[in-house]
Amino acid sequence: MTNYIASIATAAVLLTGACHAADTPPARLAAANPPSATPTTAASLAASRWVQAPGSSLTFTFDQAGAASKGSFKQFSTELAYDDKSPATGSLNVKVQIASIDTQDQERNEMLVSADLFDAQKFPTAQFSSSSFSRTAAGGLEAVGKLTLRGVTHDLRLPLKIVPVANGLELSGATAIKRLDYGVGQGDWKSTEGVADEVKIQYKVALVKAK
């Protein structure tokens, strides 16, 4: 935008100089070259707002006793503001209800929400908040933000793929975090012999235009 404005200003100076050299009357110059409207307006820079729709999924994979185990969160919400031409103006907010965890095993679910792991009673939600997006060297997209889990906040760059679909947008991607960085594992659960430190997260979110 700065280069565009600078180019217009330079052209105007050159044109004005040329007209003075040819003794062109100012009124005639104004009539022949009316000021043009700036093509990029505040409205065009405003990111479109999107909210989560049914059919979205937030899943995770972790190693327990040397075997891969999977789970998901059944309740979470997503809000996206996005302009493909100006990703830096975007934002992403995701809020997860920890008690909605589901590993297809009730005993394990109860263990995961206990005080030694997620402690869902004291920390009922996890949240990712990003106020800007950036392009990666490979041309991908990342949400630059912070993840708060079990009361602990760390920076996190969340890889994203955003594509148009029939009813709106689909946001998807995957990342990995270290559970112990967020205190998910107290007492005996600090050991990584039974449950690995790394947890892989996968997300596919259906989005519709906010009303």
Side-chain angles (χ1 to χ4, degrees):
M1 184 68 170
T2 302
N3 291 338
Y4 178 70
I5 295 173
S7 298
I8 293 178
T10 302
V13 170
L14 291 174
L15 181 59
T16 302
C19 289
H20 279 294
D23 294 323
T24 304
R28 189 174 166 189
L29 173 62
N33 298 280
S36 58
T38 304
T40 305
T41 64
S44 68
L45 286 176
S48 298
R49 303 194 67 81
W50 305 81
V51 293
Q52 185 175 314
S56 301
S57 65
L58 176 60
T59 63
F60 58 92
T61 305
F62 60 99
D63 287 341
Q64 183 176 14
S69 299
K70 294 185 177 181
S72 64
F73 291 97
K74 297 300 184 181
Q75 297 177 18
F76 67 102
S77 61
T78 308
E79 295 181 0
L80 171 73
Y82 181 64
D83 179 357
D84 185 58
K85 295 180 180 179
S86 181
T89 64
S91 65
L92 176 65
N93 287 285
V94 182
K95 184 175 288 187
V96 183
Q97 302 301 318
I98 296 299
S100 72
I101 198 168
D102 183 14
T103 62
Q104 304 298 311
D105 183 313
Q106 185 59 33
E107 184 177 347
R108 183 164 57 188
N109 292 348
E110 292 173 358
M111 175 190 70
L112 286 169
V113 300
S114 70
D116 282 344
L117 290 165
F118 281 104
D119 198 356
Q121 184 171 356
K122 187 174 181 180
F123 306 101
T125 62
Q127 185 164 354
F128 175 78
S129 297
S130 167
S131 58
S132 69
F133 298 155
S134 67
R135 296 288 183 188
T136 65
L141 190 66
E142 287 182 328
V144 182
K146 296 180 181 295
L147 173 63
T148 299
L149 176 60
R150 207 180 184 278
V152 180
T153 301
H154 288 297
D155 293 337
L156 181 66
R157 301 179 75 93
L158 199 65
L160 301 177
K161 182 178 180 181
I162 301 175
V163 296
V165 293
N167 297 321
L169 296 178
E170 181 183 88
L171 180 155
S172 62
T175 191
I177 63 172
K178 300 292 183 68
R179 65 179 179 88
L180 294 179
D181 288 349
Y182 296 88
V184 182
Q186 301 293 310
D188 292 342
W189 291 106
K190 284 185 178 181
S191 171
T192 57
E193 292 183 4
V195 178
D197 192 12
E198 183 177 83
V199 179
K200 298 176 181 177
I201 304 170
Q202 305 84 30
Y203 35 93
K204 182 180 287 187
V205 183
L207 298 162
V208 294
K209 270 283 186 69
K211 296 181 179 180

